[in-house]
Short mmCIF file of all heavy atoms in Angstrom, two decimals:
data_model
loop_
_atom_site.label_atom_id
_atom_site.label_comp_id
_atom_site.label_asym_id
_atom_site.label_seq_id
_atom_site.Cartn_x
_atom_site.Cartn_y
_atom_site.Cartn_z
N MET A 6 -19.25 61.50 3.75
CA MET A 6 -18.69 60.17 4.21
C MET A 6 -18.90 59.13 3.05
O MET A 6 -20.06 59.17 2.51
CB MET A 6 -19.50 59.70 5.51
CG MET A 6 -18.76 58.65 6.30
SD MET A 6 -17.60 59.44 7.50
CE MET A 6 -17.15 57.99 8.33
N LYS A 7 -18.01 58.25 2.93
CA LYS A 7 -18.13 57.16 1.95
C LYS A 7 -18.08 55.85 2.69
O LYS A 7 -17.43 55.71 3.70
CB LYS A 7 -17.11 57.20 0.97
CG LYS A 7 -17.26 58.53 0.04
CD LYS A 7 -16.27 58.63 -1.13
CE LYS A 7 -16.39 59.85 -1.89
NZ LYS A 7 -17.64 59.95 -2.49
N GLU A 8 -18.69 54.82 2.10
CA GLU A 8 -18.85 53.62 2.80
C GLU A 8 -18.76 52.51 1.70
O GLU A 8 -19.31 52.53 0.68
CB GLU A 8 -20.30 53.49 3.52
CG GLU A 8 -20.45 52.20 4.23
CD GLU A 8 -21.89 52.15 4.97
OE1 GLU A 8 -21.97 52.77 5.98
OE2 GLU A 8 -22.82 51.68 4.32
N LEU A 9 -17.99 51.43 2.14
CA LEU A 9 -17.94 50.20 1.29
C LEU A 9 -18.25 49.02 2.14
O LEU A 9 -17.60 48.84 3.21
CB LEU A 9 -16.52 50.11 0.73
CG LEU A 9 -16.18 48.82 0.04
CD1 LEU A 9 -17.00 48.69 -1.25
CD2 LEU A 9 -14.70 48.62 -0.21
N LYS A 10 -19.19 48.21 1.72
CA LYS A 10 -19.56 46.94 2.35
C LYS A 10 -18.80 45.90 1.68
O LYS A 10 -19.03 45.62 0.52
CB LYS A 10 -21.07 46.76 2.41
CG LYS A 10 -21.85 47.81 3.31
CD LYS A 10 -23.31 47.58 3.20
CE LYS A 10 -23.99 48.60 4.11
NZ LYS A 10 -25.50 48.54 3.95
N CYS A 11 -18.06 45.22 2.47
CA CYS A 11 -17.35 43.99 1.93
C CYS A 11 -18.26 43.04 1.32
O CYS A 11 -17.96 42.45 0.19
CB CYS A 11 -16.57 43.34 3.04
SG CYS A 11 -15.17 42.31 2.45
N ARG A 12 -19.44 42.87 1.85
CA ARG A 12 -20.44 41.87 1.30
C ARG A 12 -20.77 42.28 -0.15
O ARG A 12 -21.08 41.37 -0.97
CB ARG A 12 -21.68 41.89 2.12
CG ARG A 12 -22.68 40.83 1.92
CD ARG A 12 -23.81 40.76 2.93
NE ARG A 12 -23.33 40.44 4.28
CZ ARG A 12 -23.04 39.26 4.62
NH1 ARG A 12 -23.18 38.21 3.88
NH2 ARG A 12 -22.61 39.06 5.91
N ASP A 13 -20.89 43.60 -0.48
CA ASP A 13 -21.15 44.12 -1.80
C ASP A 13 -20.04 43.69 -2.83
O ASP A 13 -20.31 43.59 -3.99
CB ASP A 13 -21.30 45.62 -1.83
CG ASP A 13 -22.60 46.09 -1.09
OD1 ASP A 13 -23.48 45.22 -0.91
OD2 ASP A 13 -22.63 47.26 -0.82
N ALA A 14 -18.88 43.35 -2.37
CA ALA A 14 -17.80 42.90 -3.23
C ALA A 14 -17.88 41.39 -3.40
O ALA A 14 -16.93 40.81 -4.11
CB ALA A 14 -16.43 43.28 -2.60
N GLY A 15 -18.90 40.75 -2.78
CA GLY A 15 -19.08 39.35 -3.02
C GLY A 15 -18.52 38.41 -1.98
O GLY A 15 -18.56 37.22 -2.19
N PHE A 16 -18.08 39.04 -0.86
CA PHE A 16 -17.63 38.24 0.33
C PHE A 16 -18.70 38.00 1.27
O PHE A 16 -19.52 38.88 1.54
CB PHE A 16 -16.42 38.80 0.84
CG PHE A 16 -15.24 38.86 -0.05
CD1 PHE A 16 -14.89 40.09 -0.61
CD2 PHE A 16 -14.52 37.71 -0.42
CE1 PHE A 16 -13.81 40.20 -1.43
CE2 PHE A 16 -13.46 37.84 -1.35
CZ PHE A 16 -13.03 39.02 -1.82
N ASP A 17 -18.64 36.75 1.93
CA ASP A 17 -19.53 36.56 3.11
C ASP A 17 -18.84 37.14 4.30
O ASP A 17 -18.25 36.45 5.14
CB ASP A 17 -19.83 35.07 3.20
CG ASP A 17 -20.76 34.79 4.36
OD1 ASP A 17 -21.48 35.76 4.75
OD2 ASP A 17 -20.88 33.67 4.75
N CYS A 18 -18.96 38.51 4.48
CA CYS A 18 -18.18 39.21 5.40
C CYS A 18 -18.97 40.46 5.85
O CYS A 18 -19.51 41.17 4.97
CB CYS A 18 -16.89 39.58 4.78
SG CYS A 18 -15.82 40.59 5.80
N ASP A 19 -18.97 40.72 7.12
CA ASP A 19 -19.72 41.83 7.55
C ASP A 19 -18.92 43.14 7.74
O ASP A 19 -19.40 44.12 8.24
CB ASP A 19 -20.36 41.59 8.92
CG ASP A 19 -21.48 40.54 8.74
OD1 ASP A 19 -22.22 40.62 7.71
OD2 ASP A 19 -21.71 39.65 9.69
N ALA A 20 -17.65 43.13 7.26
CA ALA A 20 -16.82 44.28 7.40
C ALA A 20 -17.44 45.50 6.61
O ALA A 20 -17.91 45.30 5.40
CB ALA A 20 -15.39 44.00 6.93
N VAL A 21 -17.32 46.66 7.23
CA VAL A 21 -17.76 47.88 6.56
C VAL A 21 -16.64 48.91 6.66
O VAL A 21 -16.14 49.14 7.78
CB VAL A 21 -19.07 48.42 7.06
CG1 VAL A 21 -19.41 49.76 6.31
CG2 VAL A 21 -20.20 47.50 6.98
N VAL A 22 -16.22 49.43 5.60
CA VAL A 22 -15.12 50.44 5.63
C VAL A 22 -15.69 51.81 5.35
O VAL A 22 -16.49 51.95 4.40
CB VAL A 22 -14.09 50.08 4.57
CG1 VAL A 22 -12.99 51.15 4.50
CG2 VAL A 22 -13.37 48.69 4.89
N ARG A 23 -15.34 52.76 6.23
CA ARG A 23 -15.77 54.13 5.92
C ARG A 23 -14.66 55.09 5.95
O ARG A 23 -13.71 54.91 6.61
CB ARG A 23 -16.76 54.53 7.14
CG ARG A 23 -18.05 53.72 7.15
CD ARG A 23 -19.03 54.33 8.13
NE ARG A 23 -20.26 53.53 8.25
CZ ARG A 23 -20.45 52.50 9.01
NH1 ARG A 23 -19.47 52.25 9.86
NH2 ARG A 23 -21.56 51.83 8.99
N GLY A 24 -14.91 56.17 5.17
CA GLY A 24 -13.92 57.17 5.16
C GLY A 24 -14.43 58.53 4.57
O GLY A 24 -15.55 58.50 3.97
N ASP A 25 -13.71 59.58 4.67
CA ASP A 25 -14.19 60.87 4.13
C ASP A 25 -13.94 60.94 2.67
O ASP A 25 -14.70 61.62 1.94
CB ASP A 25 -13.49 62.04 4.85
CG ASP A 25 -13.89 62.15 6.25
OD1 ASP A 25 -15.11 61.89 6.57
OD2 ASP A 25 -13.13 62.62 7.16
N THR A 26 -13.05 60.18 2.11
CA THR A 26 -12.65 60.30 0.73
C THR A 26 -12.54 58.85 0.27
O THR A 26 -12.37 57.90 0.93
CB THR A 26 -11.42 61.05 0.47
OG1 THR A 26 -10.33 60.22 1.09
CG2 THR A 26 -11.38 62.46 1.12
N MET A 27 -12.55 58.81 -1.16
CA MET A 27 -12.31 57.50 -1.83
C MET A 27 -11.00 56.94 -1.47
O MET A 27 -10.80 55.64 -1.23
CB MET A 27 -12.44 57.71 -3.29
CG MET A 27 -12.30 56.45 -4.11
SD MET A 27 -13.61 55.31 -3.91
CE MET A 27 -14.99 56.07 -4.90
N ASP A 28 -9.97 57.76 -1.37
CA ASP A 28 -8.59 57.33 -0.98
C ASP A 28 -8.62 56.68 0.47
O ASP A 28 -7.91 55.69 0.67
CB ASP A 28 -7.64 58.44 -1.06
CG ASP A 28 -7.20 58.83 -2.53
OD1 ASP A 28 -7.62 57.96 -3.39
OD2 ASP A 28 -6.65 59.89 -2.73
N GLU A 29 -9.31 57.30 1.35
CA GLU A 29 -9.36 56.79 2.72
C GLU A 29 -10.02 55.42 2.67
O GLU A 29 -9.56 54.49 3.41
CB GLU A 29 -10.10 57.72 3.61
CG GLU A 29 -9.22 58.91 4.13
CD GLU A 29 -9.94 59.73 5.20
OE1 GLU A 29 -10.84 59.23 5.89
OE2 GLU A 29 -9.64 61.00 5.16
N VAL A 30 -11.12 55.31 1.93
CA VAL A 30 -11.80 54.06 1.88
C VAL A 30 -10.86 53.02 1.32
O VAL A 30 -10.66 51.89 1.86
CB VAL A 30 -13.08 54.18 1.15
CG1 VAL A 30 -13.77 52.73 0.97
CG2 VAL A 30 -14.11 55.06 1.91
N MET A 31 -10.21 53.26 0.24
CA MET A 31 -9.38 52.29 -0.47
C MET A 31 -8.20 51.93 0.43
O MET A 31 -7.67 50.83 0.33
CB MET A 31 -8.95 52.90 -1.80
CG MET A 31 -10.09 53.01 -2.84
SD MET A 31 -10.99 51.41 -3.13
CE MET A 31 -9.65 50.44 -3.81
N ALA A 32 -7.70 52.93 1.12
CA ALA A 32 -6.54 52.63 2.01
C ALA A 32 -6.77 51.61 3.07
O ALA A 32 -5.90 50.95 3.55
CB ALA A 32 -6.04 53.98 2.66
N GLN A 33 -8.08 51.52 3.43
CA GLN A 33 -8.50 50.47 4.39
C GLN A 33 -9.01 49.27 3.72
O GLN A 33 -8.81 48.15 4.25
CB GLN A 33 -9.66 51.01 5.35
CG GLN A 33 -9.16 52.24 6.10
CD GLN A 33 -10.42 52.79 6.89
OE1 GLN A 33 -10.97 52.21 7.77
NE2 GLN A 33 -10.85 54.02 6.41
N ALA A 34 -9.65 49.35 2.56
CA ALA A 34 -10.20 48.22 1.94
C ALA A 34 -9.09 47.29 1.34
O ALA A 34 -9.21 46.03 1.37
CB ALA A 34 -11.15 48.69 0.72
N ARG A 35 -8.00 47.95 0.92
CA ARG A 35 -6.95 47.16 0.23
C ARG A 35 -6.30 46.18 1.23
O ARG A 35 -6.28 44.98 0.92
CB ARG A 35 -5.87 48.13 -0.36
CG ARG A 35 -4.73 47.42 -1.09
CD ARG A 35 -3.79 48.39 -1.58
NE ARG A 35 -4.37 49.34 -2.64
CZ ARG A 35 -4.36 48.96 -3.90
NH1 ARG A 35 -3.77 47.83 -4.31
NH2 ARG A 35 -4.87 49.79 -4.81
N PRO A 36 -5.87 46.57 2.43
CA PRO A 36 -5.22 45.65 3.34
C PRO A 36 -6.31 44.62 3.83
O PRO A 36 -5.93 43.50 3.99
CB PRO A 36 -4.71 46.47 4.44
CG PRO A 36 -5.28 47.86 4.30
CD PRO A 36 -5.65 47.95 2.87
N HIS A 37 -7.59 45.04 3.92
CA HIS A 37 -8.58 44.05 4.37
C HIS A 37 -8.76 43.02 3.38
O HIS A 37 -8.80 41.82 3.67
CB HIS A 37 -9.96 44.88 4.56
CG HIS A 37 -11.07 43.96 4.92
ND1 HIS A 37 -11.31 43.47 6.17
CD2 HIS A 37 -11.95 43.29 4.15
CE1 HIS A 37 -12.35 42.59 6.18
NE2 HIS A 37 -12.80 42.47 4.88
N ALA A 38 -8.84 43.42 2.09
CA ALA A 38 -8.95 42.34 1.06
C ALA A 38 -7.88 41.47 0.93
O ALA A 38 -8.00 40.24 0.81
CB ALA A 38 -9.24 43.10 -0.24
N GLU A 39 -6.67 42.00 1.08
CA GLU A 39 -5.44 41.21 0.91
C GLU A 39 -5.20 40.27 2.17
O GLU A 39 -4.89 39.14 1.95
CB GLU A 39 -4.21 42.15 0.72
CG GLU A 39 -4.26 42.86 -0.63
CD GLU A 39 -3.13 43.85 -0.79
OE1 GLU A 39 -2.48 44.29 0.12
OE2 GLU A 39 -2.99 44.30 -1.95
N GLU A 40 -5.42 40.90 3.31
CA GLU A 40 -5.10 40.07 4.53
C GLU A 40 -6.19 39.05 4.93
O GLU A 40 -5.92 38.06 5.48
CB GLU A 40 -4.72 41.13 5.75
CG GLU A 40 -3.38 41.73 5.43
CD GLU A 40 -3.25 42.99 6.29
OE1 GLU A 40 -4.01 43.05 7.36
OE2 GLU A 40 -2.50 43.93 5.94
N VAL A 41 -7.48 39.60 4.89
CA VAL A 41 -8.56 38.82 5.34
C VAL A 41 -9.02 37.87 4.22
O VAL A 41 -9.40 36.66 4.49
CB VAL A 41 -9.70 39.75 5.78
CG1 VAL A 41 -10.90 38.84 6.31
CG2 VAL A 41 -9.21 40.66 6.94
N HIS A 42 -9.02 38.28 3.07
CA HIS A 42 -9.59 37.44 1.86
C HIS A 42 -8.51 36.93 1.02
O HIS A 42 -8.90 36.20 0.02
CB HIS A 42 -10.64 38.26 1.17
CG HIS A 42 -11.75 38.71 2.07
ND1 HIS A 42 -12.69 37.87 2.69
CD2 HIS A 42 -12.22 39.99 2.42
CE1 HIS A 42 -13.41 38.48 3.47
NE2 HIS A 42 -13.25 39.75 3.35
N GLY A 43 -7.27 37.24 1.26
CA GLY A 43 -6.17 36.73 0.36
C GLY A 43 -6.35 37.16 -1.16
O GLY A 43 -5.96 36.41 -2.01
N LEU A 44 -6.88 38.32 -1.30
CA LEU A 44 -7.23 38.83 -2.62
C LEU A 44 -6.15 39.78 -3.04
O LEU A 44 -5.83 40.65 -2.33
CB LEU A 44 -8.62 39.62 -2.57
CG LEU A 44 -9.02 40.14 -3.86
CD1 LEU A 44 -9.66 39.06 -4.73
CD2 LEU A 44 -10.11 41.22 -3.60
N GLU A 45 -5.67 39.53 -4.22
CA GLU A 45 -4.71 40.42 -4.76
C GLU A 45 -5.49 41.66 -5.38
O GLU A 45 -6.32 41.45 -6.36
CB GLU A 45 -3.81 39.84 -5.85
CG GLU A 45 -2.77 40.75 -6.40
CD GLU A 45 -2.01 40.14 -7.53
OE1 GLU A 45 -2.17 39.02 -7.94
OE2 GLU A 45 -1.13 40.91 -8.01
N VAL A 46 -5.31 42.84 -4.95
CA VAL A 46 -5.96 44.01 -5.42
C VAL A 46 -5.24 44.53 -6.62
O VAL A 46 -4.35 45.43 -6.56
CB VAL A 46 -6.22 45.06 -4.35
CG1 VAL A 46 -6.96 46.21 -4.87
CG2 VAL A 46 -6.84 44.50 -3.14
N THR A 47 -5.55 44.08 -7.76
CA THR A 47 -4.99 44.54 -9.00
C THR A 47 -5.69 45.88 -9.43
O THR A 47 -6.77 46.23 -8.85
CB THR A 47 -5.44 43.59 -10.23
OG1 THR A 47 -6.72 43.40 -10.34
CG2 THR A 47 -4.74 42.16 -9.88
N PRO A 48 -5.11 46.64 -10.29
CA PRO A 48 -5.80 47.88 -10.75
C PRO A 48 -7.15 47.69 -11.22
O PRO A 48 -8.05 48.42 -10.96
CB PRO A 48 -4.88 48.41 -11.89
CG PRO A 48 -3.60 47.85 -11.54
CD PRO A 48 -3.78 46.47 -10.88
N GLU A 49 -7.43 46.53 -11.91
CA GLU A 49 -8.79 46.34 -12.42
C GLU A 49 -9.68 46.05 -11.28
O GLU A 49 -10.88 46.47 -11.25
CB GLU A 49 -8.73 45.13 -13.40
CG GLU A 49 -8.11 45.31 -14.64
CD GLU A 49 -6.53 45.19 -14.56
OE1 GLU A 49 -6.00 44.81 -13.43
OE2 GLU A 49 -5.90 45.62 -15.55
N ARG A 50 -9.31 45.28 -10.28
CA ARG A 50 -10.14 45.02 -9.14
C ARG A 50 -10.42 46.24 -8.27
O ARG A 50 -11.40 46.42 -7.76
CB ARG A 50 -9.58 43.90 -8.34
CG ARG A 50 -10.59 43.09 -7.47
CD ARG A 50 -10.06 41.86 -6.79
NE ARG A 50 -9.77 40.87 -7.77
CZ ARG A 50 -10.60 39.87 -8.09
NH1 ARG A 50 -11.78 39.91 -7.65
NH2 ARG A 50 -10.24 38.90 -8.90
N ALA A 51 -9.32 47.04 -8.15
CA ALA A 51 -9.42 48.30 -7.37
C ALA A 51 -10.50 49.18 -8.09
O ALA A 51 -11.29 49.83 -7.29
CB ALA A 51 -8.14 49.09 -7.31
N ALA A 52 -10.54 49.22 -9.34
CA ALA A 52 -11.53 50.07 -10.04
C ALA A 52 -13.03 49.51 -9.76
O ALA A 52 -13.93 50.23 -9.58
CB ALA A 52 -11.36 50.07 -11.56
N GLN A 53 -13.12 48.10 -9.78
CA GLN A 53 -14.39 47.48 -9.45
C GLN A 53 -14.82 47.85 -8.08
O GLN A 53 -15.99 48.20 -7.71
CB GLN A 53 -14.32 45.92 -9.51
CG GLN A 53 -14.18 45.46 -10.90
CD GLN A 53 -14.12 43.93 -11.02
OE1 GLN A 53 -13.72 43.33 -10.01
NE2 GLN A 53 -14.30 43.30 -12.19
N ILE A 54 -13.88 47.82 -7.11
CA ILE A 54 -14.21 48.12 -5.68
C ILE A 54 -14.70 49.63 -5.58
O ILE A 54 -15.59 49.79 -4.91
CB ILE A 54 -12.91 47.82 -4.80
CG1 ILE A 54 -12.66 46.31 -4.79
CG2 ILE A 54 -13.22 48.30 -3.35
CD1 ILE A 54 -11.40 45.87 -4.12
N ARG A 55 -13.91 50.48 -6.28
CA ARG A 55 -14.32 51.92 -6.21
C ARG A 55 -15.88 52.07 -6.66
O ARG A 55 -16.49 52.92 -6.13
CB ARG A 55 -13.49 52.72 -7.11
CG ARG A 55 -12.15 52.98 -6.44
CD ARG A 55 -11.39 54.06 -7.23
NE ARG A 55 -9.89 54.00 -6.95
CZ ARG A 55 -9.01 53.35 -7.62
NH1 ARG A 55 -9.42 52.73 -8.68
NH2 ARG A 55 -7.74 53.34 -7.31
N GLY A 56 -16.24 51.22 -7.60
CA GLY A 56 -17.60 51.32 -8.03
C GLY A 56 -18.63 50.87 -7.09
O GLY A 56 -19.84 51.20 -7.20
N LEU A 57 -18.14 50.28 -5.95
CA LEU A 57 -19.08 49.75 -4.98
C LEU A 57 -19.23 50.74 -3.80
O LEU A 57 -20.03 50.54 -2.90
CB LEU A 57 -18.63 48.39 -4.44
CG LEU A 57 -18.50 47.34 -5.48
CD1 LEU A 57 -17.77 46.04 -4.83
CD2 LEU A 57 -19.85 46.97 -5.88
N VAL A 58 -18.32 51.70 -3.79
CA VAL A 58 -18.36 52.66 -2.67
C VAL A 58 -19.49 53.63 -2.82
O VAL A 58 -19.83 54.13 -3.88
CB VAL A 58 -17.01 53.47 -2.61
CG1 VAL A 58 -17.08 54.61 -1.58
CG2 VAL A 58 -15.84 52.53 -2.49
N ARG A 59 -20.22 53.82 -1.68
CA ARG A 59 -21.43 54.70 -1.71
C ARG A 59 -21.24 55.84 -0.81
O ARG A 59 -20.54 55.81 0.22
CB ARG A 59 -22.65 53.83 -1.22
CG ARG A 59 -22.91 52.66 -2.03
CD ARG A 59 -24.09 51.90 -1.32
NE ARG A 59 -24.25 50.52 -1.87
CZ ARG A 59 -25.12 49.64 -1.40
NH1 ARG A 59 -26.00 49.98 -0.50
NH2 ARG A 59 -25.23 48.43 -1.85
N ASP A 60 -21.93 56.90 -1.15
CA ASP A 60 -21.99 58.04 -0.31
C ASP A 60 -23.04 57.76 0.84
O ASP A 60 -24.14 57.48 0.51
CB ASP A 60 -22.33 59.27 -1.01
CG ASP A 60 -21.23 59.78 -1.97
OD1 ASP A 60 -20.09 59.83 -1.57
OD2 ASP A 60 -21.49 60.03 -3.10
N VAL A 61 -22.64 58.05 2.02
CA VAL A 61 -23.57 57.92 3.17
C VAL A 61 -23.60 59.16 4.04
O VAL A 61 -22.79 60.06 3.89
CB VAL A 61 -23.18 56.69 4.00
CG1 VAL A 61 -23.36 55.36 3.25
CG2 VAL A 61 -21.74 56.80 4.53
ZN1 LIG B 19 -14.29 41.32 4.18
#
């Protein structure tokens, strides 16, 4: 299981995204970032976000 805490990405937000794979986590994190935080997920930013995903 992998986990990404939105707070770790620098937002004051308690959202936590979990998935079995990096792709699953990113598939949820991308719309969250775009819709909730108005963040454009560029390839560079996606790479940064991947770096924040932890194994749990
Ligand atoms: Zn968030």
Side-chain angles (χ1 to χ4, degrees):
M6 199 91 175
K7 294 182 181 300
E8 180 180 280
L9 170 67
K10 291 180 180 170
C11 196
R12 192 173 294 280
D13 289 343
F16 295 107
D17 185 15
C18 174
D19 288 325
V21 179
V22 174
R23 293 189 183 91
D25 288 328
T26 65
M27 182 68 76
D28 284 348
E29 279 187 27
V30 173
M31 291 305 293
Q33 297 173 70
R35 182 180 295 270
H37 176 85
E39 292 177 346
E40 292 164 19
V41 179
H42 299 298
L44 181 79
E45 185 187 355
V46 182
T47 60
E49 291 79 11
R50 203 173 288 272
Q53 288 179 342
I54 293 170
R55 282 191 199 94
L57 300 171
V58 175
R59 301 177 196 178
D60 289 314
V61 292

